[in-house]
Each structure stands twice: as C-alpha cells, then as structure tokens.
Amino acid sequence: GQMSSAMRARFVDERQILANLHHPNIATLIDGGATEQGIPYLVMEYIDGIAIDQFCNEQRLSIRARLNLFLEVCAAVQYAHQNLVVHRDIKPGNILVDDRGTPKLLDFGIAKLVDPDALEQSASALTRVDMRVLTPEFASPEQVRGEKVTTATDVYALGLLLYRLLTGKTPYHFASYSPLDIEHAVCETRPDRPSAVAEHGVGDGLQRGLDTSPSRWASQLKGDLDNITLLSLRKEPQQRYGTVQQLADDLQRHLDQRPVQARPTSVVYRTSKFIGRHRRGVAAAVFATVVLAGLVSYYTLQLARERDRAQLESRKATEVAAFLAGMFRLSDPAEMSGESISARELLDRGARRIEYELANQPEVQATMTQVIGRNYRNLGLYMEAESLFRNSLEVRRALYGENHADTLASWNDLGLTLIDLGKFEEADRQLRRVIAIQKQNTTPNLLDLAINQRSLSIALLELGDYEAAEQRLRAAMRIQRESSPEG
C-alpha cells in the first residue's frame, strides 16, 4: 500500500534503527525505502539455511545442543531489545540455521514496519499489532488481545520456540482459526508440561530426530526445563521472565547444573545440583569418605576385638587360677582329713571336674583340658593325654577355627602324643596339616613352626623315611637360625 508523508518519514526512521542492528545472529537490513508511487520496499541479507526446528531434527541434536543453539537466538533478541527493537514475530520459520550451524533471525522488527497502525504511534510505544501480522501458533496473549507489545512479548515467543524444540509440538490446538478460537486457545488454555507431552509422544519431526530413547528424552525435560519453559509462557507479561537475558541465564544455570530461578529451591534440590556440577569431585569425596569410614570401622572393630580378646584372656586367667586353686586344695591334708593324694588322682579329679564345672565356659574348658593333658603326658599317661588333647582341639576348632594359635597348639600336642603312643602314621597326617596351616599364615609363629617341623621329623624317622625326616630337621634348623641368629 501507499504511505502518507508522515508514515514515510516514520518508515525511514524505523528502517534506520533496524539497519543499525549488527549482530552475528541477526540477518542484516541492507536498505529500504519507497518507490516514486509511495510503495515501500526492503532489501535484506540473504540467508541460505533451514528453519531451526528442522535443523535440530535433521542433525539429531541432543537437548543440550538444542539449548546451546537456542541461547544464540536469545543473545540476538536481547541485543535487539537493548537497542529498543522488538521482533514481534519470533517463530521457527524466521530463524534459519546456515551450513556453519549458525542461527540467523530474519525480519527483525519488520512486523512494525509493515503495520500502518504501529508506524503512526511513537517509537517508544511499541504498540498494537493487527491480527494480519501475527502467526497464531506463535503469538502471545497480549498480541491476540490487541494490547501493547513489549519485550515480554518476545520472551513469550521464545518460550513457544523452546517448547517446539523440546517437544516437536506447539502448546495450543485450534478448533478453527477464527479470532474467538484463537483467543480461547492462547489466552485461556494452560500449556501442558513439555515432559508430559514428550511422554505421550513427541512431534513427528522430532521423533525422527531423537538422539536417545523417547522415555529418556522425556525424563531429561522433567524439572528445570519444564519450569523454565512454562515460566516463559505465563499469560500475564509481568509474570514471565523480566528480560530475555533472565531466560537465557536460567537455561545456562540448568546446563551448568546450578539451581534455576524458575524452580522453588530446597536443600535436596540444591544438593542434587551441586552433585551434578561436581560429579568427579563428589565421587572422589564419597570414595574417600567411604574408604575413611571403612578404615575407621576396620580399626574400631580391630580395637574392639583386641579389647574383647584381652578381656577374655583376663577372664580365662582368673578362671584357670581359680580352677587350679580348687584342684590343689584336694592335696591339702586339712581338706583331705590327713589322707594323701597322688598326682595321678589329682589330675583324674581335675579332668572330671572340667566336664561339669566348665561346661558353660568353653574357652576355659579347652585351656584346662590342655593343661591337664600336658601333665598326663609328662607322667607318661599318653592315652589319657590323647583324649584330652582331642577334646581341646575339637572345642578350639569350633571356637576359633583351624588357623588360630590356640587351636594349633592343641593340634601339635595331639601330634606329639600320637608319636608317644606309636601312632606314627596318624601323627604324620596331623602334623603335616598343622604345618600347612601355619605356612598359610601371613605372620606365622616361627618358633612353633620349627617345633612342629621337628616333631614331624620324629614321626618320619619312626616310619623309616629318613630322607624326609632330614629335610624337616633342616627346615627347622633354618627357621631357628633366621628367627634367632644368636641362639
């Protein structure tokens, strides 16, 4: 259409403002004017690219990559706002991505230039946009209602663009494109959360462009991205982000695993963000804590075991002393009405008392059984000693296992007694087993090992295996020399 002289002057002024926008993500307005007949024309930089949503889908960009591309668009819009220019028609078709992957915004502020009503208003008002120059799917409530257009209008449009990039859909569905249906959808319908939309199926174009499974894509939208997108799409302009920069900053915080402004904060939320930002550091700290806790627990347990062992040994010593005192009271003439008692009788009575007096104290019972068994052996009562050593070995195996020093001591006593009884083959078997267990210990008792090697050599001598007996004796000598060079 033709312009009046006043409109033509405003057109020239607005054109000059747009021509002064120099940003790597904004298509440059090269020239503009009117023909001799008063028909306006514009000359724009040619951008060879495809729409931003199509580019994201064809390149199968991840959510992070889409957000980074979107942030370039935000930077361009924020730059224009700082120069008092509102785009008024942000939509995928007005953002082309070239072959270098750079997004370019087209038609920046052109909606105002081609709207006679807007040109007749002052440059600072940035007012009404007629229904002819808006795209319903990407229009804000204030545009649909014919109200004043501000930078908040572009914030809303960017929210719609973000919604499209994340779900492949727009949040509104129109029964028809009548003004009434458009106003009902845009001004009254509350958008669904992007994650909920994605869970039920993203748009066809995005479906082909997913870089992951649909369920994982939807899960990545939950939380921050849901809240950021919906805050941009609030119906009332004053309830949205105050500036495009605030929207961009919140998206950057999300990418940096920091708490976003669009989401209520909590200790759990901030902690999860901290962990997300410092995964390696937190993992290392957790690992160190676990290791430290493990070491503390280990050494605490060791100390507890040592304490329990010391208490047990103390209790055993007390019980053994009391038991021995009771035994020797039997040899006191005052106790026995002047009758004498032999050592054999003393040991026999002690052995019998062990069975019923120490039945509930197996540690003390095993110790006293060994003590009395050794005394039987010293008296040449090998059969009685064998029986007691077997009992002592059985109890200690059950209490401590085969690798315990007390168990091995009872085992060695049994081996020596079997030699005394002439049971050389069994002695050979028992002593070999004891020596094998001792060698498996990380810190074996060298003196006990040497004694057992020597004991085994005795059994081998009696069995006529002199070569093997010699090897065992030399092994015993080597151990004794290494463990006690001066002895």
Side-chain angles (χ1 to χ4, degrees):
Q2 294 185 347
M3 291 182 175
S4 65
S5 58
M7 289 177 61
R8 190 178 304 171
R10 175 59 61 194
F11 181 89
V12 171
D13 290 344
E14 294 292 338
R15 180 205 65 189
Q16 189 57 47
I17 292 174
L18 299 182
N20 288 333
L21 295 180
H22 298 291
H23 191 276
N25 299 112
I26 296 178
T28 306
L29 174 64
I30 297 174
D31 195 10
T35 66
E36 294 178 356
Q37 293 78 23
I39 301 174
Y41 67 86
L42 298 168
V43 181
M44 303 292 299
E45 173 190 4
Y46 175 70
I47 305 298
D48 185 10
I50 60 176
I52 186 171
D53 57 340
Q54 182 183 351
F55 176 84
C56 290
N57 294 337
E58 288 185 0
Q59 298 297 318
R60 298 175 62 85
L61 296 188
S62 65
I63 289 177
R64 173 174 286 273
R66 289 169 188 255
L67 294 179
N68 285 327
L69 199 64
F70 180 80
L71 286 173
E72 292 189 59
V73 177
C74 289
V77 177
Q78 177 63 24
Y79 166 80
H81 286 180
Q82 291 170 344
N83 287 274
L84 304 180
V85 179
V86 180
H87 191 289
R88 308 157 75 98
D89 194 23
I90 296 174
K91 57 187 178 182
N94 275 341
I95 307 170
L96 301 185
V97 184
D98 62 23
D99 55 4
R100 296 188 301 274
T102 302
K104 293 275 191 175
L105 273 72
L106 313 181
D107 299 347
F108 223 118
I110 302 304
K112 184 177 181 182
L113 288 180
V114 298
D115 180 8
D117 292 332
L119 278 175
E120 288 180 353
Q121 304 297 326
S122 65
S124 61
L126 299 175
T127 58
R128 182 178 181 275
V129 176
D130 192 85
M131 291 290 286
R132 294 168 298 160
V133 291
L134 62 81
T135 305
E137 288 84 358
F138 293 93
S140 67
E142 58 267 27
Q143 284 177 295
V144 170
R145 290 192 294 259
E147 298 172 353
K148 184 171 69 171
V149 172
T150 66
T151 54
T153 304
D154 281 351
V155 171
Y156 189 92
L158 286 169
L160 291 172
L161 175 64
L162 182 60
Y163 201 101
R164 178 64 169 263
L165 294 180
L166 297 179
T167 67
K169 298 178 179 180
T170 56
Y172 305 121
H173 304 282
F174 305 102
S176 71
Y177 282 90
S178 68
L180 184 62
D181 285 339
I182 292 174
E183 184 170 356
H184 172 73
V186 175
C187 301
E188 300 175 17
T189 305
R190 183 177 179 179
D192 293 327
R193 289 182 172 273
S195 61
V197 173
E199 283 177 350
H200 292 90
V202 296
D204 292 339
L206 178 55
Q207 181 67 43
R208 294 188 294 271
L210 291 179
D211 73 324
T212 185
S213 66
S215 59
R216 176 157 178 74
W217 183 277
S219 69
Q220 292 180 66
L221 302 182
K222 288 182 179 179
D224 288 354
L225 292 179
D226 276 342
N227 286 280
I228 291 171
T229 306
L230 294 183
L231 182 57
S232 304
L233 296 177
R234 294 283 180 86
K235 301 300 182 185
E236 298 303 322
Q238 64 272 17
Q239 294 181 356
R240 302 170 199 155
Y241 286 104
T243 64
V244 173
Q245 189 60 54
Q246 290 180 5
L247 165 61
D249 289 345
D250 235 8
L251 284 173
Q252 191 61 58
R253 277 189 283 269
H254 167 72
L255 291 173
D256 294 340
Q257 290 289 340
R258 290 182 290 134
V260 301
Q261 301 300 319
R263 185 171 179 175
T265 59
S266 67
V267 174
V268 173
Y269 174 63
R270 289 187 174 275
T271 301
S272 67
K273 287 298 180 182
F274 179 85
I275 293 173
R277 289 197 308 276
H278 306 286
R279 291 184 186 277
R280 292 186 178 179
V282 171
V286 169
F287 176 76
T289 302
V290 170
V291 171
L292 180 61
L295 290 174
V296 170
S297 299
Y298 172 77
Y299 285 111
T300 300
L301 183 61
Q302 288 294 100
L303 289 172
R305 286 175 176 171
E306 292 296 332
R307 178 201 63 207
D308 294 343
R309 187 178 297 115
Q311 291 176 347
L312 175 62
E313 292 300 323
S314 175
R315 189 172 69 252
K316 282 169 59 178
T318 302
E319 295 290 342
V320 167
F323 187 85
L324 289 175
M327 281 183 58
F328 284 105
R329 276 200 303 271
L330 296 176
S331 62
D332 186 349
E335 292 285 338
M336 298 302 295
S337 303
E339 295 182 12
S340 62
I341 184 172
S342 67
R344 168 67 185 270
E345 291 175 320
L346 186 66
L347 292 175
D348 288 344
R349 292 185 181 186
R352 287 193 296 271
R353 288 182 60 199
I354 288 174
E355 293 184 14
Y356 62 86
E357 289 188 16
L358 301 178
N360 296 324
Q361 301 177 66
E363 297 93 346
V364 179
Q365 185 184 56
T367 299
M368 286 309 306
T369 301
Q370 184 183 29
V371 169
I372 294 177
R374 285 177 175 176
N375 281 281
Y376 271 133
R377 184 166 176 264
N378 290 336
L379 292 175
L381 303 171
Y382 301 126
M383 293 182 64
E384 291 80 353
E386 177 192 5
S387 176
L388 291 178
F389 288 143
R390 288 188 187 277
N391 289 340
S392 176
L393 175 59
E394 182 180 353
V395 172
R396 284 175 166 171
R397 264 179 167 169
L399 286 174
Y400 314 125
E402 292 187 345
N403 205 19
H404 194 275
D406 289 350
T407 305
L408 294 173
S410 294
W411 217 333
N412 185 55
D413 284 338
L414 175 62
L416 291 173
T417 305
L418 291 172
I419 292 173
D420 294 332
L421 289 168
K423 299 179 179 180
F424 303 119
E425 292 183 354
E426 185 180 358
D428 177 62
R429 290 196 304 274
Q430 298 286 7
L431 290 171
R432 285 180 187 273
R433 179 62 180 154
V434 172
I435 292 170
I437 293 173
Q438 285 180 312
K439 287 183 175 180
Q440 290 173 359
N441 286 347
T442 53
T443 55
N445 186 312
L446 295 178
L447 181 59
D448 286 347
L449 179 58
I451 291 173
N452 288 332
Q453 292 278 26
R454 188 180 62 194
S455 299
L456 178 57
S457 72
I458 296 172
L460 292 170
L461 281 170
E462 295 295 341
L463 291 171
D465 193 345
Y466 305 120
E467 184 177 353
E470 179 187 1
Q471 291 175 355
R472 295 290 175 175
L473 283 170
R474 290 189 181 279
M477 290 170 62
R478 183 171 59 253
I479 292 171
Q480 288 176 311
R481 285 197 184 104
E482 291 173 355
S483 59
S484 181
E486 73 283 357

